[in-house]
Amino acid sequence: MDVLGVPDFVTAEELYADSPFRLLFDTVKTAVFTNHGAFVRDKENGVYTADLTVNGVPVSVTFDADGYLTKITADAFRAVFSR
């Protein structure tokens, strides 16, 4: 993590499981490596979505038709990715 140009080394174990920063990374890991059966394809626009539980927190994940992660939504945060 870099805060205003100053590196701050924090291990995953030092972050609470439901902290937004840890939840972001754990959600990506969960969406990519597990729960593939949870994804539903929207036939009109080809996007894949899934409602997952990560670290006890409900999250929604969206991939585009080409397989790129586009959005993660949880109560704690909303992350939008573009290429």
Side-chain angles (χ1 to χ4, degrees), residues 16 18 21 39 44:
Y16 292 111
D18 62 347
F21 194 64
F39 283 87
E44 277 188 36

Side-chain angles (χ1 to χ4, degrees), residues 9-70:
F9 299 101
V10 178
T11 66
E13 294 78 29
E14 294 176 281
L15 298 172
Y16 292 111
D18 62 347
S19 72
F21 194 64
R22 171 124 182 231
L23 191 57
L24 173 68
F25 289 103
D26 287 351
T27 298
V28 171
K29 185 170 100 177
T30 300
V32 171
F33 295 111
T34 61
N35 291 319
H36 296 118
F39 283 87
V40 177
R41 183 176 182 265
D42 181 325
K43 293 179 184 176
E44 277 188 36
N45 56 26
V47 301
Y48 294 85
T49 59
D51 293 322
L52 306 171
T53 300
V54 178
N55 301 344
V57 177
V59 295
S60 177
V61 181
T62 304
F63 286 83
D64 68 13
D66 294 325
Y68 288 93
L69 178 63
T70 58

